[in-house]
Amino acid sequence: MRPPLAALARWRTPSLSARRALLHGDPAPTPAAHHRRTLLTLAIETSCDDTCVAVLSKSPGPRGRGTLHFNRKVTSDSTAYGGVYPPVALRSHDAHLAPLVAEALASLPPVEEHPGGGGGGGGGGVITVAGVPRQKPTFVTVTRGPGMSANLASGLATAKGLAAAWQVPLLAVNHMQAHALTPRLVSALDRSPPAPSSPIRPEYPFLTLLVSGGHTQLVHSRSLADHRVLAASADVAVGDALDKAARHILPHDMLASHGDVMYGALLERFAFPDSFPASSSSSSSSSSSPPRGHDYEYSPPLRRVDEIATYASPYAWTLTPPLAASRALSYSFAGLGSQIHKIASSRAGGDDAMPLEERRCLARAAMRLLFEHLASRVLLAFAARPELGDAVRTLVVSGGVASNRFLMHVLRRTLDARGFAHVELTAPPPALCTDNAAMIAWTGMEMYEAGWESALSVRPERKWSIDPASDEGGILGLGGWVRRDE
C-alpha cells in the first residue's frame, strides 16, 4: 500500500552510490512485493504538440510481458502557421488532456482481471469508473522534459493530481530516454504468454540514433539510466531539415491539402511514391521497412571519399554533403537546407517554376544526403571507439524520422557495405516512432522496477540531457528522484 503523502519526508533522495549502481547496469533490488504482482500505469505525454495518454500493464520480472490497454493522442492543428505553434499546442492540451484521461480510465482492467498474466493486478486498490470497479494504477507516469515548459507543465500537473488523489507514486521521466527504450516496449508487447525465457530486447549496450523534429543525437545506451551522447546536431534537427526541405520542394497545392505539419513524411511519399501501396497511408502503415522487393535504386557509399562527394544532378545543380571537410562527431543540417532553398528559388518564376520530375529528383537527393550524413557519424563513432564494435550489436533508430523507410534502407545498406552487417537495425512501428504515451509508460515501468519514483514537487524541465556528463547530470542528475524503502 502506498504510504500517505505525509510519509514522503521519510523517503530518501538517491545517494551517489545508488546512482552509480543504476548507471552501470546494476539496479538496486526492488521491494519483494513488487516482484509478485502485475504493474499497471497510466501515462501522460505533453512535451510538444501531441496530447497523449496510455494505459500499460506488465507482468512481474525483468522479462515480463507488457499489455497496452489504451494508447491515444490528439495533435494540435498548427497548419495555419506552417509548423508547431506553442500557444495553439498548449490550448490543445488544455482542451483534450482531461477527456483523454477520462477515456483511458474506462480501459483500466476490471478488478477480476489480472493483466499481463501476473499474480494480482494494479496497485492493489480499486477505483470505480462509471459504476464499474477497476484496478487502480500502481503509479502514474508523465514526461518531465525536455520539451516546451508550459506544455510539459500541463501534463505534469494532471499527473501529480492523479497520483495524489489515488495515493500512488509518480514517475516523471525523460522524453529522450523514452524514445531510446521504445524498442524494448515493442519487445515486451510481442511476448506471448507464458513469457519466454529470452530477455527483452535490445539488451544493453546498444547505439541509439534519436531523430526527430527537435533532436538529432547518436547515443551510446549503456544501461537503463546511462546514455552517453556521442554526436549531436550543431544547428537544426534532421526532422526540422526535412520539413523545411519539403516546404521548398513540394508543390504548393500538395502542401496546402496536407492535413498536418508533418511535411517530412509527405516529402518521402512524394519522392518514392512506388514504395507506398495505394491503399496505405503514412499513419496507418505498420512497418518502417519498404515493401518486400522495393528497389530504391540506391547504392551506398563504399568509402569515406564517396560519402563526401558532391552530388551532381541531371538538372545542372549540385548538392554538397554536410560537414564534407570534417570527421568530427557532430551533425549539421542547416547548410544543406540553404542549398535546397537556393536551388528551389533560383527559377525565374520562383518555386512554382520547377518541373515535377526535377522536384522529385531534388527530394530524393536531399533525403539521400541527409540520411548518409546520419549514417556517416555512426561509422565514425565505430572507428573512433573500437570497443563499440566489439560490444554493440544493435542500432536503435527512434523518434519521428525513424518511420522514414528510405532512412532505414540507407542505414541498412550502409552498415552492410562498410563491415557492420552483424549490427541489427531496429525501429519501432511508425505509430510508436512519433511522440506517444506508451513509450512514457514503458520508461516508467523500467524506472519503477529499478526502484525509482519521483517527488510530487518536481518541476518541468525544458532542457534535460540524458548524458551524465551534461550540465543536468543525465537521467538521475536532476533533483526529485527518490528510492522506495525496502
mmCIF file of all heavy atoms in Angstrom, residues 169-220:
data_model
loop_
_atom_site.group_PDB
_atom_site.id
_atom_site.type_symbol
_atom_site.label_atom_id
_atom_site.label_comp_id
_atom_site.label_asym_id
_atom_site.label_seq_id
_atom_site.Cartn_x
_atom_site.Cartn_y
_atom_site.Cartn_z
ATOM 1 N N PRO A 169 2.533 6.333 -6.367
ATOM 2 C CA PRO A 169 3.738 7.071 -6.743
ATOM 3 C C PRO A 169 3.609 7.777 -8.094
ATOM 4 O O PRO A 169 2.790 7.407 -8.943
ATOM 5 C CB PRO A 169 4.818 5.984 -6.808
ATOM 6 C CG PRO A 169 4.291 4.860 -5.993
ATOM 7 C CD PRO A 169 2.811 4.895 -6.174
ATOM 8 N N LEU A 170 4.471 8.766 -8.278
ATOM 9 C CA LEU A 170 4.617 9.482 -9.538
ATOM 10 C C LEU A 170 5.963 9.112 -10.142
ATOM 11 O O LEU A 170 6.974 9.051 -9.435
ATOM 12 C CB LEU A 170 4.563 10.993 -9.300
ATOM 13 C CG LEU A 170 4.809 11.891 -10.517
ATOM 14 C CD1 LEU A 170 3.592 11.880 -11.435
ATOM 15 C CD2 LEU A 170 5.131 13.325 -10.076
ATOM 16 N N LEU A 171 5.992 8.863 -11.445
ATOM 17 C CA LEU A 171 7.239 8.659 -12.191
ATOM 18 C C LEU A 171 7.308 9.736 -13.263
ATOM 19 O O LEU A 171 6.553 9.700 -14.239
ATOM 20 C CB LEU A 171 7.279 7.271 -12.834
ATOM 21 C CG LEU A 171 7.883 6.100 -12.045
ATOM 22 C CD1 LEU A 171 9.374 6.260 -11.853
ATOM 23 C CD2 LEU A 171 7.188 5.924 -10.715
ATOM 24 N N ALA A 172 8.183 10.732 -13.075
ATOM 25 C CA ALA A 172 8.341 11.838 -14.020
ATOM 26 C C ALA A 172 9.612 11.588 -14.822
ATOM 27 O O ALA A 172 10.719 11.758 -14.309
ATOM 28 C CB ALA A 172 8.412 13.171 -13.275
ATOM 29 N N VAL A 173 9.466 11.182 -16.086
ATOM 30 C CA VAL A 173 10.576 10.588 -16.830
ATOM 31 C C VAL A 173 11.056 11.483 -17.967
ATOM 32 O O VAL A 173 10.425 12.478 -18.327
ATOM 33 C CB VAL A 173 10.175 9.203 -17.382
ATOM 34 C CG1 VAL A 173 9.733 8.286 -16.249
ATOM 35 C CG2 VAL A 173 9.070 9.322 -18.432
ATOM 36 N N ASN A 174 12.187 11.076 -18.531
ATOM 37 C CA ASN A 174 12.839 11.819 -19.606
ATOM 38 C C ASN A 174 12.302 11.370 -20.966
ATOM 39 O O ASN A 174 12.285 10.176 -21.283
ATOM 40 C CB ASN A 174 14.353 11.603 -19.530
ATOM 41 C CG ASN A 174 15.122 12.432 -20.535
ATOM 42 O OD1 ASN A 174 15.097 12.172 -21.727
ATOM 43 N ND2 ASN A 174 15.840 13.432 -20.047
ATOM 44 N N HIS A 175 11.901 12.331 -21.761
ATOM 45 C CA HIS A 175 11.298 12.067 -23.071
ATOM 46 C C HIS A 175 12.267 11.354 -24.014
ATOM 47 O O HIS A 175 11.874 10.431 -24.750
ATOM 48 C CB HIS A 175 10.860 13.403 -23.675
ATOM 49 C CG HIS A 175 10.199 13.304 -25.012
ATOM 50 N ND1 HIS A 175 8.855 13.078 -25.162
ATOM 51 C CD2 HIS A 175 10.701 13.407 -26.271
ATOM 52 C CE1 HIS A 175 8.550 13.044 -26.452
ATOM 53 N NE2 HIS A 175 9.650 13.241 -27.148
ATOM 54 N N MET A 176 13.535 11.764 -24.022
ATOM 55 C CA MET A 176 14.502 11.163 -24.935
ATOM 56 C C MET A 176 14.871 9.746 -24.495
ATOM 57 O O MET A 176 15.089 8.859 -25.328
ATOM 58 C CB MET A 176 15.752 12.041 -25.037
ATOM 59 C CG MET A 176 15.471 13.475 -25.473
ATOM 60 S SD MET A 176 14.439 13.588 -26.961
ATOM 61 C CE MET A 176 15.530 12.874 -28.189
ATOM 62 N N GLN A 177 14.955 9.527 -23.197
ATOM 63 C CA GLN A 177 15.160 8.175 -22.695
ATOM 64 C C GLN A 177 14.021 7.271 -23.166
ATOM 65 O O GLN A 177 14.245 6.121 -23.562
ATOM 66 C CB GLN A 177 15.231 8.180 -21.172
ATOM 67 C CG GLN A 177 15.426 6.804 -20.539
ATOM 68 C CD GLN A 177 15.172 6.806 -19.041
ATOM 69 O OE1 GLN A 177 14.490 7.700 -18.519
ATOM 70 N NE2 GLN A 177 15.712 5.827 -18.335
ATOM 71 N N ALA A 178 12.807 7.797 -23.143
ATOM 72 C CA ALA A 178 11.650 7.007 -23.566
ATOM 73 C C ALA A 178 11.752 6.611 -25.034
ATOM 74 O O ALA A 178 11.431 5.476 -25.408
ATOM 75 C CB ALA A 178 10.365 7.795 -23.309
ATOM 76 N N HIS A 179 12.191 7.527 -25.889
ATOM 77 C CA HIS A 179 12.379 7.173 -27.298
ATOM 78 C C HIS A 179 13.406 6.049 -27.437
ATOM 79 O O HIS A 179 13.213 5.111 -28.224
ATOM 80 C CB HIS A 179 12.838 8.394 -28.094
ATOM 81 C CG HIS A 179 11.724 9.248 -28.609
ATOM 82 N ND1 HIS A 179 10.713 8.758 -29.410
ATOM 83 C CD2 HIS A 179 11.460 10.579 -28.446
ATOM 84 C CE1 HIS A 179 9.874 9.738 -29.721
ATOM 85 N NE2 HIS A 179 10.302 10.847 -29.150
ATOM 86 N N ALA A 180 14.496 6.136 -26.682
ATOM 87 C CA ALA A 180 15.540 5.119 -26.775
ATOM 88 C C ALA A 180 15.039 3.748 -26.327
ATOM 89 O O ALA A 180 15.477 2.715 -26.847
ATOM 90 C CB ALA A 180 16.753 5.534 -25.941
ATOM 91 N N LEU A 181 14.120 3.725 -25.365
ATOM 92 C CA LEU A 181 13.638 2.461 -24.812
ATOM 93 C C LEU A 181 12.432 1.894 -25.558
ATOM 94 O O LEU A 181 11.980 0.788 -25.244
ATOM 95 C CB LEU A 181 13.268 2.644 -23.336
ATOM 96 C CG LEU A 181 14.381 3.073 -22.381
ATOM 97 C CD1 LEU A 181 13.856 3.136 -20.953
ATOM 98 C CD2 LEU A 181 15.576 2.137 -22.463
ATOM 99 N N THR A 182 11.909 2.621 -26.540
ATOM 100 C CA THR A 182 10.689 2.170 -27.210
ATOM 101 C C THR A 182 10.810 0.779 -27.831
ATOM 102 O O THR A 182 9.863 -0.019 -27.745
ATOM 103 C CB THR A 182 10.246 3.198 -28.268
ATOM 104 O OG1 THR A 182 10.069 4.473 -27.644
ATOM 105 C CG2 THR A 182 8.935 2.785 -28.914
ATOM 106 N N PRO A 183 11.936 0.419 -28.468
ATOM 107 C CA PRO A 183 12.020 -0.957 -28.978
ATOM 108 C C PRO A 183 11.909 -2.020 -27.882
ATOM 109 O O PRO A 183 11.442 -3.134 -28.141
ATOM 110 C CB PRO A 183 13.400 -0.997 -29.653
ATOM 111 C CG PRO A 183 13.651 0.417 -30.061
ATOM 112 C CD PRO A 183 13.080 1.233 -28.930
ATOM 113 N N ARG A 184 12.316 -1.686 -26.662
ATOM 114 C CA ARG A 184 12.145 -2.630 -25.558
ATOM 115 C C ARG A 184 10.659 -2.780 -25.209
ATOM 116 O O ARG A 184 10.207 -3.871 -24.852
ATOM 117 C CB ARG A 184 12.957 -2.176 -24.345
ATOM 118 C CG ARG A 184 14.465 -2.303 -24.556
ATOM 119 C CD ARG A 184 15.278 -1.781 -23.382
ATOM 120 N NE ARG A 184 14.971 -2.417 -22.123
ATOM 121 C CZ ARG A 184 15.466 -3.585 -21.710
ATOM 122 N NH1 ARG A 184 16.300 -4.265 -22.498
ATOM 123 N NH2 ARG A 184 15.145 -4.079 -20.534
ATOM 124 N N LEU A 185 9.908 -1.690 -25.311
ATOM 125 C CA LEU A 185 8.458 -1.779 -25.149
ATOM 126 C C LEU A 185 7.867 -2.718 -26.193
ATOM 127 O O LEU A 185 7.048 -3.594 -25.872
ATOM 128 C CB LEU A 185 7.833 -0.389 -25.277
ATOM 129 C CG LEU A 185 6.324 -0.329 -25.560
ATOM 130 C CD1 LEU A 185 5.532 -0.883 -24.387
ATOM 131 C CD2 LEU A 185 5.889 1.096 -25.888
ATOM 132 N N VAL A 186 8.273 -2.542 -27.447
ATOM 133 C CA VAL A 186 7.753 -3.391 -28.525
ATOM 134 C C VAL A 186 8.084 -4.852 -28.252
ATOM 135 O O VAL A 186 7.254 -5.750 -28.454
ATOM 136 C CB VAL A 186 8.324 -2.938 -29.880
ATOM 137 C CG1 VAL A 186 7.888 -3.886 -30.994
ATOM 138 C CG2 VAL A 186 7.878 -1.512 -30.199
ATOM 139 N N SER A 187 9.298 -5.104 -27.772
ATOM 140 C CA SER A 187 9.702 -6.471 -27.443
ATOM 141 C C SER A 187 8.814 -7.052 -26.355
ATOM 142 O O SER A 187 8.390 -8.213 -26.432
ATOM 143 C CB SER A 187 11.164 -6.485 -26.993
ATOM 144 O OG SER A 187 11.573 -7.771 -26.577
ATOM 145 N N ALA A 188 8.499 -6.252 -25.338
ATOM 146 C CA ALA A 188 7.646 -6.736 -24.244
ATOM 147 C C ALA A 188 6.219 -6.982 -24.716
ATOM 148 O O ALA A 188 5.564 -7.935 -24.280
ATOM 149 C CB ALA A 188 7.650 -5.729 -23.096
ATOM 150 N N LEU A 189 5.728 -6.141 -25.617
ATOM 151 C CA LEU A 189 4.367 -6.316 -26.127
ATOM 152 C C LEU A 189 4.251 -7.537 -27.026
ATOM 153 O O LEU A 189 3.176 -8.125 -27.150
ATOM 154 C CB LEU A 189 3.937 -5.070 -26.907
ATOM 155 C CG LEU A 189 3.782 -3.774 -26.111
ATOM 156 C CD1 LEU A 189 3.443 -2.621 -27.045
ATOM 157 C CD2 LEU A 189 2.719 -3.914 -25.028
ATOM 158 N N ASP A 190 5.355 -7.921 -27.664
ATOM 159 C CA ASP A 190 5.336 -9.049 -28.595
ATOM 160 C C ASP A 190 5.454 -10.402 -27.906
ATOM 161 O O ASP A 190 5.369 -11.440 -28.559
ATOM 162 C CB ASP A 190 6.483 -8.920 -29.608
ATOM 163 C CG ASP A 190 6.204 -7.862 -30.658
ATOM 164 O OD1 ASP A 190 5.034 -7.452 -30.770
ATOM 165 O OD2 ASP A 190 7.146 -7.446 -31.347
ATOM 166 N N ARG A 191 5.682 -10.411 -26.616
ATOM 167 C CA ARG A 191 5.930 -11.670 -25.916
ATOM 168 C C ARG A 191 4.606 -12.379 -25.635
ATOM 169 O O ARG A 191 3.730 -11.850 -24.974
ATOM 170 C CB ARG A 191 6.679 -11.406 -24.610
ATOM 171 C CG ARG A 191 7.978 -10.664 -24.845
ATOM 172 C CD ARG A 191 8.540 -10.111 -23.562
ATOM 173 N NE ARG A 191 9.250 -11.107 -22.790
ATOM 174 C CZ ARG A 191 10.487 -11.501 -23.045
ATOM 175 N NH1 ARG A 191 11.135 -10.981 -24.060
ATOM 176 N NH2 ARG A 191 11.083 -12.397 -22.294
ATOM 177 N N SER A 192 4.485 -13.597 -26.150
ATOM 178 C CA SER A 192 3.253 -14.362 -25.970
ATOM 179 C C SER A 192 3.301 -15.106 -24.644
ATOM 180 O O SER A 192 4.338 -15.651 -24.264
ATOM 181 C CB SER A 192 3.075 -15.365 -27.110
ATOM 182 O OG SER A 192 3.010 -14.692 -28.353
ATOM 183 N N PRO A 193 2.187 -15.150 -23.927
ATOM 184 C CA PRO A 193 2.175 -15.896 -22.669
ATOM 185 C C PRO A 193 2.213 -17.396 -22.947
ATOM 186 O O PRO A 193 1.643 -17.853 -23.942
ATOM 187 C CB PRO A 193 0.849 -15.474 -22.027
ATOM 188 C CG PRO A 193 -0.021 -15.064 -23.171
ATOM 189 C CD PRO A 193 0.908 -14.504 -24.217
ATOM 190 N N PRO A 194 2.842 -18.209 -22.088
ATOM 191 C CA PRO A 194 3.625 -17.716 -20.961
ATOM 192 C C PRO A 194 4.897 -17.030 -21.437
ATOM 193 O O PRO A 194 5.426 -17.364 -22.487
ATOM 194 C CB PRO A 194 3.952 -18.992 -20.177
ATOM 195 C CG PRO A 194 3.954 -20.067 -21.220
ATOM 196 C CD PRO A 194 2.872 -19.688 -22.197
ATOM 197 N N ALA A 195 5.364 -16.057 -20.664
ATOM 198 C CA ALA A 195 6.514 -15.263 -21.087
ATOM 199 C C ALA A 195 7.709 -16.156 -21.361
ATOM 200 O O ALA A 195 8.046 -17.021 -20.564
ATOM 201 C CB ALA A 195 6.861 -14.244 -20.004
ATOM 202 N N PRO A 196 8.358 -15.979 -22.515
ATOM 203 C CA PRO A 196 9.523 -16.799 -22.835
ATOM 204 C C PRO A 196 10.693 -16.458 -21.931
ATOM 205 O O PRO A 196 10.713 -15.431 -21.259
ATOM 206 C CB PRO A 196 9.811 -16.420 -24.291
ATOM 207 C CG PRO A 196 9.260 -15.039 -24.434
ATOM 208 C CD PRO A 196 8.053 -14.990 -23.545
ATOM 209 N N SER A 197 11.689 -17.328 -21.946
ATOM 210 C CA SER A 197 12.854 -17.118 -21.090
ATOM 211 C C SER A 197 13.835 -16.124 -21.681
ATOM 212 O O SER A 197 14.738 -15.665 -20.993
ATOM 213 C CB SER A 197 13.567 -18.454 -20.851
ATOM 214 O OG SER A 197 13.966 -19.028 -22.092
ATOM 215 N N SER A 198 13.674 -15.773 -22.952
ATOM 216 C CA SER A 198 14.603 -14.838 -23.578
ATOM 217 C C SER A 198 14.407 -13.440 -23.011
ATOM 218 O O SER A 198 13.301 -13.050 -22.647
ATOM 219 C CB SER A 198 14.393 -14.825 -25.091
ATOM 220 O OG SER A 198 13.073 -14.431 -25.396
ATOM 221 N N PRO A 199 15.469 -12.650 -22.937
ATOM 222 C CA PRO A 199 15.364 -11.307 -22.365
ATOM 223 C C PRO A 199 14.644 -10.344 -23.296
ATOM 224 O O PRO A 199 14.526 -10.582 -24.504
ATOM 225 C CB PRO A 199 16.829 -10.898 -22.179
ATOM 226 C CG PRO A 199 17.568 -11.678 -23.220
ATOM 227 C CD PRO A 199 16.846 -12.991 -23.330
ATOM 228 N N ILE A 200 14.157 -9.257 -22.719
ATOM 229 C CA ILE A 200 13.586 -8.181 -23.523
ATOM 230 C C ILE A 200 14.712 -7.541 -24.325
ATOM 231 O O ILE A 200 15.806 -7.292 -23.814
ATOM 232 C CB ILE A 200 12.881 -7.158 -22.615
ATOM 233 C CG1 ILE A 200 11.610 -7.782 -22.020
ATOM 234 C CG2 ILE A 200 12.539 -5.889 -23.377
ATOM 235 C CD1 ILE A 200 10.903 -6.901 -21.022
ATOM 236 N N ARG A 201 14.447 -7.265 -25.588
ATOM 237 C CA ARG A 201 15.466 -6.732 -26.482
ATOM 238 C C ARG A 201 15.108 -5.317 -26.936
ATOM 239 O O ARG A 201 13.931 -4.964 -26.946
ATOM 240 C CB ARG A 201 15.610 -7.652 -27.705
ATOM 241 C CG ARG A 201 16.082 -9.056 -27.337
ATOM 242 C CD ARG A 201 16.136 -9.951 -28.554
ATOM 243 N NE ARG A 201 17.025 -9.432 -29.584
ATOM 244 C CZ ARG A 201 18.333 -9.629 -29.601
ATOM 245 N NH1 ARG A 201 18.901 -10.322 -28.644
ATOM 246 N NH2 ARG A 201 19.071 -9.135 -30.567
ATOM 247 N N PRO A 202 16.137 -4.530 -27.291
ATOM 248 C CA PRO A 202 17.551 -4.888 -27.310
ATOM 249 C C PRO A 202 18.151 -4.886 -25.906
ATOM 250 O O PRO A 202 17.729 -4.116 -25.043
ATOM 251 C CB PRO A 202 18.181 -3.789 -28.168
ATOM 252 C CG PRO A 202 17.297 -2.602 -27.952
ATOM 253 C CD PRO A 202 15.906 -3.153 -27.808
ATOM 254 N N GLU A 203 19.134 -5.740 -25.720
ATOM 255 C CA GLU A 203 19.855 -5.756 -24.459
ATOM 256 C C GLU A 203 20.941 -4.686 -24.489
ATOM 257 O O GLU A 203 21.462 -4.326 -25.543
ATOM 258 C CB GLU A 203 20.480 -7.135 -24.230
ATOM 259 C CG GLU A 203 19.470 -8.259 -24.046
ATOM 260 C CD GLU A 203 20.143 -9.574 -23.732
ATOM 261 O OE1 GLU A 203 20.397 -9.838 -22.538
ATOM 262 O OE2 GLU A 203 20.428 -10.335 -24.679
ATOM 263 N N TYR A 204 21.267 -4.173 -23.318
ATOM 264 C CA TYR A 204 22.354 -3.203 -23.220
ATOM 265 C C TYR A 204 23.696 -3.915 -23.373
ATOM 266 O O TYR A 204 23.827 -5.071 -22.983
ATOM 267 C CB TYR A 204 22.303 -2.494 -21.863
ATOM 268 C CG TYR A 204 21.011 -1.758 -21.606
ATOM 269 C CD1 TYR A 204 20.058 -2.290 -20.737
ATOM 270 C CD2 TYR A 204 20.737 -0.554 -22.232
ATOM 271 C CE1 TYR A 204 18.867 -1.622 -20.496
ATOM 272 C CE2 TYR A 204 19.547 0.115 -21.997
ATOM 273 C CZ TYR A 204 18.615 -0.418 -21.128
ATOM 274 O OH TYR A 204 17.430 0.245 -20.903
ATOM 275 N N PRO A 205 24.687 -3.201 -23.963
ATOM 276 C CA PRO A 205 24.617 -1.845 -24.519
ATOM 277 C C PRO A 205 24.150 -1.868 -25.972
ATOM 278 O O PRO A 205 24.289 -2.873 -26.668
ATOM 279 C CB PRO A 205 26.066 -1.376 -24.425
ATOM 280 C CG PRO A 205 26.866 -2.629 -24.642
ATOM 281 C CD PRO A 205 26.068 -3.739 -23.988
ATOM 282 N N PHE A 206 23.617 -0.738 -26.423
ATOM 283 C CA PHE A 206 23.273 -0.584 -27.834
ATOM 284 C C PHE A 206 23.447 0.881 -28.215
ATOM 285 O O PHE A 206 23.575 1.755 -27.349
ATOM 286 C CB PHE A 206 21.849 -1.069 -28.133
ATOM 287 C CG PHE A 206 20.765 -0.462 -27.275
ATOM 288 C CD1 PHE A 206 20.162 0.744 -27.618
ATOM 289 C CD2 PHE A 206 20.322 -1.113 -26.128
ATOM 290 C CE1 PHE A 206 19.153 1.292 -26.837
ATOM 291 C CE2 PHE A 206 19.307 -0.576 -25.339
ATOM 292 C CZ PHE A 206 18.724 0.632 -25.692
ATOM 293 N N LEU A 207 23.502 1.144 -29.510
ATOM 294 C CA LEU A 207 23.548 2.515 -30.004
ATOM 295 C C LEU A 207 22.129 2.974 -30.312
ATOM 296 O O LEU A 207 21.303 2.193 -30.791
ATOM 297 C CB LEU A 207 24.395 2.629 -31.274
ATOM 298 C CG LEU A 207 25.915 2.538 -31.128
ATOM 299 C CD1 LEU A 207 26.579 2.760 -32.485
ATOM 300 C CD2 LEU A 207 26.442 3.544 -30.120
ATOM 301 N N THR A 208 21.856 4.242 -30.042
ATOM 302 C CA THR A 208 20.549 4.820 -30.321
ATOM 303 C C THR A 208 20.725 6.041 -31.206
ATOM 304 O O THR A 208 21.492 6.950 -30.870
ATOM 305 C CB THR A 208 19.840 5.243 -29.021
ATOM 306 O OG1 THR A 208 19.714 4.116 -28.152
ATOM 307 C CG2 THR A 208 18.455 5.794 -29.326
ATOM 308 N N LEU A 209 20.047 6.053 -32.328
ATOM 309 C CA LEU A 209 20.013 7.221 -33.202
ATOM 310 C C LEU A 209 18.651 7.879 -32.999
ATOM 311 O O LEU A 209 17.626 7.377 -33.468
ATOM 312 C CB LEU A 209 20.211 6.801 -34.661
ATOM 313 C CG LEU A 209 20.388 7.919 -35.696
ATOM 314 C CD1 LEU A 209 21.581 8.811 -35.354
ATOM 315 C CD2 LEU A 209 20.549 7.333 -37.093
ATOM 316 N N LEU A 210 18.639 8.975 -32.244
ATOM 317 C CA LEU A 210 17.406 9.699 -31.937
ATOM 318 C C LEU A 210 17.205 10.774 -32.991
ATOM 319 O O LEU A 210 17.995 11.726 -33.078
ATOM 320 C CB LEU A 210 17.488 10.320 -30.546
ATOM 321 C CG LEU A 210 17.612 9.340 -29.371
ATOM 322 C CD1 LEU A 210 17.866 10.087 -28.069
ATOM 323 C CD2 LEU A 210 16.357 8.490 -29.254
ATOM 324 N N VAL A 211 16.175 10.620 -33.806
ATOM 325 C CA VAL A 211 15.968 11.515 -34.945
ATOM 326 C C VAL A 211 14.525 12.006 -34.943
ATOM 327 O O VAL A 211 13.585 11.237 -35.123
ATOM 328 C CB VAL A 211 16.307 10.803 -36.275
ATOM 329 C CG1 VAL A 211 17.808 10.725 -36.468
ATOM 330 C CG2 VAL A 211 15.719 9.392 -36.334
ATOM 331 N N SER A 212 14.358 13.301 -34.740
ATOM 332 C CA SER A 212 13.014 13.877 -34.682
ATOM 333 C C SER A 212 13.069 15.311 -35.172
ATOM 334 O O SER A 212 14.104 15.784 -35.652
ATOM 335 C CB SER A 212 12.482 13.820 -33.249
ATOM 336 O OG SER A 212 13.205 14.708 -32.413
ATOM 337 N N GLY A 213 11.951 16.010 -35.023
ATOM 338 C CA GLY A 213 11.911 17.407 -35.423
ATOM 339 C C GLY A 213 12.636 18.334 -34.478
ATOM 340 O O GLY A 213 12.958 19.468 -34.833
ATOM 341 N N GLY A 214 12.911 17.861 -33.266
ATOM 342 C CA GLY A 214 13.575 18.706 -32.283
ATOM 343 C C GLY A 214 14.936 18.216 -31.845
ATOM 344 O O GLY A 214 15.675 18.957 -31.188
ATOM 345 N N HIS A 215 15.290 16.975 -32.192
ATOM 346 C CA HIS A 215 16.538 16.397 -31.698
ATOM 347 C C HIS A 215 17.185 15.522 -32.765
ATOM 348 O O HIS A 215 16.497 14.844 -33.530
ATOM 349 C CB HIS A 215 16.291 15.541 -30.450
ATOM 350 C CG HIS A 215 15.643 16.282 -29.324
ATOM 351 N ND1 HIS A 215 16.352 16.986 -28.383
ATOM 352 C CD2 HIS A 215 14.333 16.440 -29.002
ATOM 353 C CE1 HIS A 215 15.517 17.536 -27.522
ATOM 354 N NE2 HIS A 215 14.284 17.222 -27.874
ATOM 355 N N THR A 216 18.508 15.540 -32.792
ATOM 356 C CA THR A 216 19.285 14.579 -33.563
ATOM 357 C C THR A 216 20.501 14.220 -32.724
ATOM 358 O O THR A 216 21.369 15.068 -32.482
ATOM 359 C CB THR A 216 19.739 15.146 -34.918
ATOM 360 O OG1 THR A 216 18.590 15.565 -35.661
ATOM 361 C CG2 THR A 216 20.493 14.084 -35.713
ATOM 362 N N GLN A 217 20.547 12.986 -32.257
ATOM 363 C CA GLN A 217 21.631 12.548 -31.389
ATOM 364 C C GLN A 217 21.982 11.097 -31.693
ATOM 365 O O GLN A 217 21.099 10.277 -31.942
ATOM 366 C CB GLN A 217 21.233 12.652 -29.907
ATOM 367 C CG GLN A 217 20.962 14.054 -29.410
ATOM 368 C CD GLN A 217 20.529 14.075 -27.950
ATOM 369 O OE1 GLN A 217 20.120 13.057 -27.396
ATOM 370 N NE2 GLN A 217 20.616 15.235 -27.325
ATOM 371 N N LEU A 218 23.269 10.806 -31.643
ATOM 372 C CA LEU A 218 23.752 9.433 -31.646
ATOM 373 C C LEU A 218 24.193 9.133 -30.224
ATOM 374 O O LEU A 218 25.039 9.845 -29.667
ATOM 375 C CB LEU A 218 24.916 9.259 -32.615
ATOM 376 C CG LEU A 218 25.539 7.858 -32.665
ATOM 377 C CD1 LEU A 218 24.530 6.823 -33.154
ATOM 378 C CD2 LEU A 218 26.788 7.850 -33.549
ATOM 379 N N VAL A 219 23.610 8.109 -29.627
ATOM 380 C CA VAL A 219 23.762 7.867 -28.196
ATOM 381 C C VAL A 219 24.250 6.444 -27.953
ATOM 382 O O VAL A 219 23.778 5.497 -28.593
ATOM 383 C CB VAL A 219 22.415 8.086 -27.467
ATOM 384 C CG1 VAL A 219 22.550 7.810 -25.977
ATOM 385 C CG2 VAL A 219 21.910 9.508 -27.702
ATOM 386 N N HIS A 220 25.181 6.312 -27.019
ATOM 387 C CA HIS A 220 25.609 5.002 -26.544
ATOM 388 C C HIS A 220 24.772 4.676 -25.312
ATOM 389 O O HIS A 220 24.992 5.226 -24.229
ATOM 390 C CB HIS A 220 27.103 5.027 -26.193
ATOM 391 C CG HIS A 220 27.651 3.700 -25.775
ATOM 392 N ND1 HIS A 220 28.852 3.563 -25.096
ATOM 393 C CD2 HIS A 220 27.170 2.443 -25.935
ATOM 394 C CE1 HIS A 220 29.079 2.286 -24.861
ATOM 395 N NE2 HIS A 220 28.077 1.585 -25.362
#
